[in-house]
């Protein structure tokens, strides 16, 4: 997974719903060092940060501010929480990028309360399909089959997952989730990618580099 430079799409979603965050039970799937969990805890949400990595959880614990929240080690495809536990489950290039979506999405839906939201962003299949392994950059040429992405070998023997648009719809609907929005953020011309080289440098201004899904539990 070649993660796009953060351009504020997830922040905009939370800003649109800021009135509903305070006092809500929130789960971050793949919290990493806890940047999002800290921010939402500071806004008054009852946050739980989940990650598979001990090192990431240790970093999140060190960085935790005055608003304390629990950190849990676990996998997105086997969540250690009871059903109907959360009002919001979200991830920012987190658990739904690094766990098989056909297993992780039903788990997210299971722990959501009725009407609860699953909000997440992942790399666009076009960003992945245009990634040139030899040049180590995203180009304007299709390098891989759109229908052949599925699993992607990453560094340190890790695996990330990529679905087509249709497969995401099937997985989300199959878990009983209603799709509210699919947002394809478009940064301003000249916005550079902060994690990977792209050719042109502002590739994401011309083609969707990430997808932001907003869904809710029926």
């Amino acid at each position: 997974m070649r993660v796009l430079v953060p351009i504020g799409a997830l922040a905009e979603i939370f800003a649109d719903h800021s009135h509903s965050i305070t006092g809500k039970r929130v789960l971050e799937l793949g919290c990493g060092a806890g940047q999002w969990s800290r921010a939402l805890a500071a806004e008054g949400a009852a946050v739980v940060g989940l990650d598979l990595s001990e090192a990431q959880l240790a970093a999140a614990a060190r960085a935790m501010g005055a608003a304390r929240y629990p950190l849990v080690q676990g996998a997105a495809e086997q969540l250690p929480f009871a059903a109907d536990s959360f009002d919001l489950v979200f991830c920012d290039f987190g658990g739904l990028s690094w766990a098989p979506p056909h297993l992780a999405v039903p788990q997210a839906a299971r722990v959501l309360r009725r009407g609860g939201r699953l909000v997440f962003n992942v790399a666009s299949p076009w960003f992945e399909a245009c990634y040139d392994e030899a040049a180590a950059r995203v180009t304007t040429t299709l390098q891989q089959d759109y229908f052949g992405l599925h699993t992607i070998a990453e560094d340190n023997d890790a695996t990330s997952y990529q679905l087509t648009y249709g497969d995401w719809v099937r997985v989300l609907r199959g878990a009983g989730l209603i799709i509210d929005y699919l947002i394809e953020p478009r940064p301003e011309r000249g916005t550079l990618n902060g994690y990977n080289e792209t050719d042109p440098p502002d590739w994401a201004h011309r083609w969707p580099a990430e997808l932001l899904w907003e869904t809710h539990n029926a």
Side-chain angles (χ1 to χ4, degrees), residues 9-178:
L10 201 59
E12 290 174 7
I13 287 290
F14 289 138
D16 288 344
H17 297 277
S18 59
H19 63 280
S20 66
I21 292 296
T22 301
K24 299 298 185 181
R25 287 272 295 170
V26 177
L27 172 65
E28 181 174 10
L29 290 180
C31 64
Q35 295 93 326
W36 275 114
S37 290
R38 288 197 303 277
L40 294 185
E43 291 295 322
V47 179
V48 176
L50 178 132
D51 206 286
L52 191 59
S53 167
E54 289 185 15
Q56 292 281 38
L57 291 172
R62 289 193 300 269
M64 198 175 295
R68 313 298 291 179
Y69 60 92
L71 296 168
V72 176
Q73 185 173 22
E77 60 267 43
Q78 194 172 3
L79 294 177
F81 307 106
D84 307 318
S85 292
F86 297 98
D87 301 295
L88 169 66
V89 176
F90 79 95
C91 63
D92 183 16
F93 289 101
L96 295 185
S97 296
W98 298 98
H102 72 283
L103 299 178
V105 169
Q107 282 289 296
R110 179 183 65 81
V111 302
L112 278 175
R113 294 169 177 165
R114 184 174 180 85
R117 294 184 296 133
L118 171 64
V119 179
F120 65 97
N121 58 354
V122 291
S124 159
W126 298 113
F127 192 72
E128 297 286 8
C130 291
Y131 190 85
D132 186 329
E133 292 285 353
R137 68 183 63 192
V138 179
T139 70
T140 59
T141 303
L142 289 172
Q143 305 288 336
Q144 303 179 64
D145 292 346
Y146 172 77
F147 292 109
L149 292 170
H150 303 305
T151 59
I152 300 169
E154 304 285 357
D155 295 338
N156 301 317
D157 297 322
T159 300
S160 65
Y161 296 84
Q162 180 60 261
L163 301 184
T164 65
Y165 290 87
D167 283 343
W168 273 119
V169 170
R170 280 188 286 274
V171 167
L172 292 165
R173 292 291 302 272
L177 294 166
I178 304 300

